[in-house]
């Protein structure tokens, strides 16, 4: 029987911090994936998909391929459907492309909008109808005939028990009216109270990504229009939790989802109230060993763009095995304005999972406060570039263990000088340690496996070696048919 000894290093750790942070952003790869999703929308026969595709591509600064063909499709569809949402999607896409030749025939729909705004009985008028209707007028450079009448309609339609989707439409509509919409300011906090919190990290509204993005972007637009200033209703921690939720949805597969995701991330990354930042390890878990001692951390906005200021980045604490091993160390800036590096060699590297907390403060005066830049938790793995199995011993003993085992020493990779004999009445004993070749210290691995292989049949049995208090690994197993059934 040939005995082969295998081991690997893998570990994980949970870090807890009282401060919220964002640990991912929209990468170039993510944007390429979203672009592919949006391009499929241009081929759709659905007006909403075309609108979301056109507007979404513009969010990532992409040109619309064969734009006039899209315009021709809009002209064809505009003559088929007269519903307000369809006309809204067609006129919005037409306006977004901006270079269309030809004309959308929507005169009848415009008259329908004006007629709706003149109604005395508005019980059958939905908030979405008002939003779509007023947006259609705006897309065509038209305005409601009587703004005060429109405001009165909105006031009558806004109710405390409105769905969060209706609130989203109403807040976008009011934002388009400028300061006249300020009467609804107190409704903002009530609506935000409807948000769902998940795992103390994510915030979302019922309805998922599209509803969350609709409300979120509406609140920012509304506050820009009525000048909320210091009374901005979304708190800093809430902005970070919304950011985490949105970025958790960056693998969306529909044009609608891609559009709303990009719209919300762009709003969070470009506003006058706060700037959530993402702090991410350049390599997974730092990817450090005794030959690579530089820890690289990237700081960007949610879209992966550079921040408007340089940073002073420092280590608040670094812990290994519940012991503080580093604090107050400073990162250095690099030629890449988004990346900061730390020489991870003080103290001497020991392999394991480090729980590190860092903070980043602006070096220049900034008009917009950064969010998520303090008490940032990181998990950094330091692995040994080479290890060796040492103090390897193998032998047998009787099942009753009345006598101690007879063990033979063996160097890893060599064979025993004499064949090891045992039967089902005996147990096999294996003991060994793993040593880091650089620091010459015993180290722990996530799991160490011992594999028994039958030379004749090739069948195998694999066992897990257990770690003792002296950092030595051991296997003690009987050789009954049940234990080695695969052999």
């Amino acid at each position: 029987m040939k005995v082969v000894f295998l081991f690997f290093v893998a570990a994980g750790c949970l870090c807890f911090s009282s401060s919220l942070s964002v640990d991912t952003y929209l990468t170039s790869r993510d944007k390429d994936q979203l672009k592919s999703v949006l391009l499929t929308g241009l081929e759709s026969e659905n007006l909403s998909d075309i609108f979301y595709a056109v507007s979404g591509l513009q969010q990532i600064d992409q040109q619309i391929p064969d734009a006039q063909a899209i315009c021709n499709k809009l002209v064809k569809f505009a003559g088929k459907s007269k519903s307000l949402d369809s006309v809204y999607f067609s006129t919005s896409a037409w306006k977004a492309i901006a270079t269309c030749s030809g004309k959308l025939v929507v005169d009848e729909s415009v008259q329908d909008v004006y007629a709706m705004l003149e109604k005395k009985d508005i019980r059958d008028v939905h908030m979405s109808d008002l939003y779509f209707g007023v947006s259609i007028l705006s897309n065509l450079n038209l305005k409601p005939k009587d703004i005060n009448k429109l405001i009165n309609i909105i006031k009558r339609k806004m109710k405390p028990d409105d769905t969060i989707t209706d609130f989203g439409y109403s807040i976008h509509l009011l934002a388009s009216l400028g300061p006249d919409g300020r009467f609804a300011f107190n409704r903002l906090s009530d609506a935000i109270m409807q948000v769902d919190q998940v795992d103390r990290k994510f915030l979302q509204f019922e309805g998922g990504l599209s509803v969350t993005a609709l409300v979120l972007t509406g609140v920012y637009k509304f506050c820009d229009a009525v000048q909320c200033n210091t009374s901005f209703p979304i708190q800093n921690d809430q902005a970070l939790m919304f950011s985490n939720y949105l970025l958790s949805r960056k693998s969306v597969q529909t044009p609608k989802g891609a559009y709303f995701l990009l719209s919300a991330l762009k709003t969070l990354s470009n506003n006058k109230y706060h700037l959530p930042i993402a702090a991410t390890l350049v390599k997974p878990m730092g990817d450090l060993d005794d030959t690579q001692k530089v820890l690289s951390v990237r700081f960007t906005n949610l879209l992966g763009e550079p921040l408007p200021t340089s940073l002073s980045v420092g280590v608040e604490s670094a812990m290994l095995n519940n012991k503080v091993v580093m604090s107050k160390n400073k990162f250095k800036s690099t030629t890449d304005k988004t990346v900061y590096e730390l020489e991870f060699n003080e103290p001497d590297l020991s392999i394991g999972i480090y729980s590190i907390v860092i903070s980043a403060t602006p070096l220049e005066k900034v008009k917009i406060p950064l969010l998520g830049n303090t008490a940032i938790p990181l998990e950094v793995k330091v692995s040994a570039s080479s290890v060796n199995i040492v103090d390897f011993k193998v032998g047998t003993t009787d099942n009753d263990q009345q006598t101690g085992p007879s063990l033979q020493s063996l160097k890893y990779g060599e064979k025993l000088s004499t064949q090891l004999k045992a039967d089902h009445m005996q147990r096999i004993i294996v003991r060994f340690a793993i040593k880091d070749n650089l620091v010459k210290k015993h180290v722990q691995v996530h799991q160490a496996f011992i594999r028994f292989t039958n030379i004749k049949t090739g069948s195998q049995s694999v066992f897990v070696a257990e770690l003792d208090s002296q950092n030595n690994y051991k296997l003690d197993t009987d050789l009954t048919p049940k234990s080695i059934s695969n052999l």
Side-chain angles (χ1 to χ4, degrees):
M1 179 173 63
K2 181 175 73 173
V3 182
V4 180
F5 301 91
L6 302 176
F7 69 94
F8 67 87
V9 179
C13 142
L14 290 176
C15 296
F16 299 91
S17 172
S18 59
S19 295
L20 285 163
S21 60
V22 178
D23 59 5
T24 186
Y25 61 92
L26 205 65
T27 66
S28 297
R29 183 176 180 179
D30 295 329
K31 292 175 184 176
D32 287 342
Q33 174 61 29
L34 292 172
K35 177 182 176 181
S36 297
V37 171
L38 292 166
L39 287 174
T40 63
L42 296 179
E43 302 170 2
S44 174
E45 297 297 305
N46 187 305
L47 271 174
S48 63
D49 282 346
I50 296 173
F51 161 71
Y52 291 131
V54 169
S55 299
L57 287 169
Q58 290 185 338
Q59 297 276 10
I60 50 176
D61 300 321
Q62 296 294 315
Q63 291 186 343
I64 310 302
D66 200 3
Q68 187 55 46
I70 304 299
C71 300
N72 295 340
K73 189 185 291 190
L74 294 174
V75 170
K76 181 180 72 172
F77 289 152
K80 292 183 177 180
S81 177
K82 303 298 183 181
S83 65
L84 287 180
D85 58 340
S86 294
V87 179
Y88 163 76
F89 288 129
S90 62
T91 56
S92 296
W94 187 277
K95 181 179 179 180
I97 294 173
T99 59
C100 289
S101 60
K103 182 181 179 181
L104 286 178
V105 181
V106 292
D107 295 347
E108 183 178 341
S109 298
V110 170
Q111 296 307 313
D112 290 341
V113 172
Y114 281 131
M116 176 181 65
L117 298 180
E118 292 295 327
K119 279 187 174 184
K120 294 182 179 180
D121 184 354
I122 59 172
R123 285 176 295 180
D124 62 341
V125 176
H126 300 288
M127 192 63 75
S128 57
D129 296 329
L130 292 173
Y131 171 73
F132 290 140
V134 174
S135 296
I136 291 169
L137 297 181
S138 176
N139 290 337
L140 300 172
N141 295 318
L142 301 172
K143 294 181 179 181
K145 295 177 180 178
D146 190 333
I147 295 296
N148 290 328
K149 185 175 289 188
L150 172 60
I151 291 174
N152 287 330
I153 292 175
I154 297 171
K155 286 180 177 179
R156 289 165 60 191
K157 294 300 296 184
M158 290 186 77
K159 298 177 182 179
D161 59 350
D162 281 347
T163 67
I164 193 63
T165 303
D166 279 344
F167 172 79
Y169 283 126
S170 66
I171 210 70
H172 273 274
L173 179 56
L174 290 167
S176 70
L177 302 181
D180 290 335
R182 189 172 180 83
F183 69 88
F185 175 79
N186 291 333
R187 296 293 305 276
L188 299 183
S189 57
D190 294 338
I192 294 172
M193 288 290 289
Q194 298 182 44
V195 74
D196 296 324
Q197 184 182 129
V198 180
D199 296 335
R200 297 185 180 181
K201 183 178 180 180
F202 307 102
L203 283 183
Q204 68 179 86
F205 288 103
E206 183 180 356
L209 175 59
S210 60
V211 175
T212 301
L214 176 71
V215 176
L216 196 63
T217 55
V219 169
Y220 283 85
K221 287 181 180 178
F222 177 83
C223 279
D224 286 346
V226 305
Q227 299 182 353
C228 293
N229 298 328
T230 57
S231 300
F232 189 69
I234 296 178
Q235 299 174 6
N236 291 343
D237 281 357
Q238 291 175 324
L240 289 170
M241 287 192 278
F242 277 124
S243 301
N244 282 326
Y245 168 71
L246 292 167
L247 288 167
S248 74
R249 298 299 312 278
K250 60 184 180 179
S251 59
V252 292
Q253 296 298 313
T254 64
K256 179 180 179 179
Y259 162 76
F260 276 112
L261 173 68
L262 290 168
S263 178
L265 290 177
K266 193 166 186 177
T267 295
L268 284 166
S269 298
N270 296 278
N271 66 80
K272 62 183 181 181
Y273 308 102
H274 43 225
L275 177 59
I277 72 168
T280 57
L281 293 169
V282 173
K283 296 181 179 179
M285 294 195 75
D287 193 26
L288 300 183
D289 59 32
D290 49 74
T291 62
Q292 170 57 41
K293 300 183 179 182
V294 178
L295 175 65
S296 300
V297 180
R298 187 185 307 278
F299 294 88
T300 65
N301 66 13
L302 305 182
L303 296 171
E305 299 166 342
L307 300 177
T309 175
S310 300
L311 300 171
S312 173
V313 184
V315 177
E316 292 186 9
S317 67
M319 300 185 69
L320 177 65
N321 298 327
N322 296 319
K323 294 181 181 179
V324 176
V325 295
M326 185 189 304
S327 65
K328 308 304 180 185
N329 298 58
K330 291 291 185 180
F331 284 70
K332 297 179 180 179
S333 59
T334 68
T335 54
D336 184 336
K337 292 182 179 180
T338 67
V339 176
Y340 294 78
E341 294 180 340
L342 173 68
E343 292 288 341
F344 207 87
N345 57 3
E346 185 183 343
D348 292 337
L349 283 175
S350 296
I351 72 168
I353 305 294
Y354 289 76
S355 299
I356 302 177
V357 178
I358 66 173
S359 287
T361 56
L363 286 175
E364 296 97 29
K365 186 176 181 180
V366 292
K367 296 180 179 179
I368 303 171
L370 305 184
L371 302 184
N373 60 310
T374 60
I376 303 166
L378 301 174
E379 289 182 356
V380 176
K381 180 178 72 173
V382 178
S383 53
S385 59
S386 64
V387 296
N388 196 19
I389 296 178
V390 298
D391 301 329
F392 188 92
K393 297 177 181 180
V394 61
T396 60
T397 186
D398 293 334
N399 274 339
D400 57 19
Q401 297 187 352
Q402 291 183 357
T403 59
S406 175
L407 301 178
Q408 300 181 50
S409 296
L410 185 66
K411 290 184 178 180
Y412 181 71
E414 294 182 354
K415 295 182 178 180
L416 290 170
S417 58
T418 59
Q419 188 175 18
L420 190 66
K421 295 182 179 180
D423 58 29
H424 67 280
M425 298 295 293
Q426 294 177 298
R427 306 176 67 82
I428 188 166
I429 309 295
V430 179
R431 294 175 182 167
F432 60 94
I434 300 173
K435 182 177 285 186
D436 186 330
N437 285 337
L438 180 67
V439 298
K440 306 301 181 184
K441 293 181 180 179
H442 286 190
V443 296
Q444 299 179 16
V445 296
H446 181 60
Q447 282 186 312
F449 297 97
I450 298 176
R451 184 178 68 197
F452 293 84
T453 303
N454 188 310
I455 295 177
K456 293 182 179 180
T457 65
S459 59
Q460 301 175 346
S461 286
V462 178
F463 299 86
V464 177
E466 297 179 349
L467 183 69
D468 64 20
S469 59
Q470 303 299 316
N471 271 359
N472 295 312
Y473 289 89
K474 61 180 181 180
L475 172 69
D476 182 345
T477 185
D478 61 52
L479 296 175
T480 61
K482 183 177 180 181
S483 298
I484 52 174
S485 58
N486 290 337
L487 297 177

